[in-house]
Amino acid sequence: MSTVFLNHQYLPMEEARISPMDRGFLFGDGIYEVIPSYNGKMVGFGPHIQRMRNGLAAIGIQFDWDESAWREVCDQLIQRNGSGNLGLYLHVSRGADSKRFHAYPEGVAPTVFAYAFEIAPPPVPDRSQATGYKVATARDLRWQRCHIKSTALLGNVLHFQYGYEQGANETLLYNSNNELTEASACNAYIVKDGVVITPPLDNQILPGITRQLLLDILRRDGSITVEERAVTMDEVFNADEVWVTSSSKEIAPVVEIDGKPVADGKVGPVWEAALKLYSAAKFDY
Ligand code: PLP
């Protein structure tokens, strides 16, 4: 049985209740985060909380918890749920109104929910042990504010399900210009001639914290060149390597797209080198 945090209380998951009038439930009107934690050590805590604050400000939810308030909840969840490999899910919705009305209500307290769930151990930077991802591709049909980490994830769910039904681990998405955006729950990258290339931050993609850390780590190290620029789907299909990143997966190598191998269909050497660097530096953030 897991212990969760709901509106200033720690309680068993089975006893956690929210109102059906909660705007998170009715409208997907909220912001969330997932922070990975390994043996009690979180990765990217500060950047995750900053992104949550940005998201709350972007949708006008007044909720001013700072890093120390969130850290206390995360530490408690780790203590109360065992400190293995955990994803810490943090969620703030606009709260429960007395009526269903689109405009923001006045004087309604946000609903704050957090819980811990088990995640896979971090991947080992060794090509011979790596499991390659298979992905599908689809036209990105989500909304035009994908930089906000909204709890309204139906667009992402539909894209993920499309790939899932074909036996794929993820769905790579492209816009009307046939340019890669991201995946349904991950950021996306190609490697060409040793250069790691990923779409730039804009409204079409989530500013992933794994992406932020990875690009910073690679640039500081300097042995692998990084470019942030538009990537066409032709480039994706002709890449030497393709990766997707997220907090719970770190860097996942893609070996098959729409049933066709990426390059020779094997996990590539740049993935291994990048994951080595990421693994060594990730707890610095
Ligand atoms: N893009 C989308 C749409 C996501 O949902 C996620 C994670 O949930 C990511 C990218 C990766 O973000 P992060 O590295 O912060 O987990």
Side-chain angles (χ1 to χ4, degrees), residues 40-279:
K41 284 202 290 181
M42 288 184 274
V43 176
F45 175 78
H48 276 284
I49 297 306
Q50 187 55 52
R51 183 174 63 184
M52 177 157 231
R53 292 167 68 89
N54 295 346
L56 291 169
I59 68 168
I61 291 183
Q62 257 121 53
F63 186 75
D64 59 358
W65 273 20
D66 61 8
E67 276 195 17
S68 65
W70 282 116
R71 189 178 284 280
E72 166 67 15
V73 170
C74 291
D75 287 345
Q76 285 287 335
L77 288 177
I78 291 168
Q79 260 181 41
R80 291 168 189 248
N81 292 286
S83 63
N85 306 316
L86 295 177
L88 301 167
Y89 178 87
L90 314 179
H91 171 129
V92 179
S93 82
R94 204 179 301 276
D97 197 359
S98 54
K99 56 188 183 303
R100 183 182 175 281
F101 178 56
H102 287 59
Y104 302 168
E106 305 260 319
V108 164
T111 300
V112 186
F113 172 62
Y115 85 109
F117 61 98
E118 210 177 303
I119 56 173
V124 180
D126 175 353
R127 295 160 76 187
S128 65
Q129 290 184 47
T131 312
Y133 262 43
K134 295 177 180 174
V135 301
T137 61
R139 169 83 192 276
D140 193 340
L141 296 175
R142 301 171 301 161
W143 70 333
Q144 292 176 40
R145 301 180 199 192
C146 291
H147 58 295
I148 298 175
K149 198 165 171 65
S150 161
T151 55
L153 286 171
L154 185 56
N156 304 61
V157 166
L158 294 175
H159 281 316
F160 188 89
Q161 183 68 18
Y162 170 78
Y164 185 76
E165 285 176 4
Q166 300 172 45
N169 306 98
E170 249 294 9
T171 304
L172 285 185
L173 304 172
Y174 53 89
N175 64 19
S176 57
N177 296 328
N178 214 32
E179 291 162 351
L180 177 68
T181 55
E182 57 179 344
S184 65
C186 293
N187 290 112
Y189 310 72
I190 64 164
V191 178
K192 191 68 185 175
D193 300 327
V195 179
V196 176
I197 311 165
T198 194
L201 294 183
D202 60 18
N203 65 308
Q204 300 180 88
I205 70 170
L206 185 79
I209 304 302
T210 318
R211 178 189 184 282
Q212 181 183 329
L213 270 49
L214 175 61
L215 297 193
D216 192 55
I217 289 167
L218 295 183
R219 283 180 174 137
R220 276 165 189 259
D221 174 75
S223 61
I224 300 172
T225 306
V226 175
E227 279 179 22
E228 290 172 85
R229 64 157 173 85
V231 175
T232 67
M233 288 310 281
D234 282 349
E235 289 183 288
V236 172
F237 288 112
N238 291 298
D240 300 329
E241 299 182 28
V242 175
W243 312 336
V244 292
T245 67
S246 78
S247 293
S248 53
K249 298 177 191 72
E250 299 198 337
I251 313 170
V254 174
V255 294
E256 195 181 296
I257 305 178
D258 289 339
K260 295 179 208 85
V262 174
D264 62 1
K266 300 207 174 85
V267 175
V270 184
W271 171 82
E272 186 175 285
L275 185 61
K276 232 174 237 165
L277 294 169
Y278 185 83
S279 307

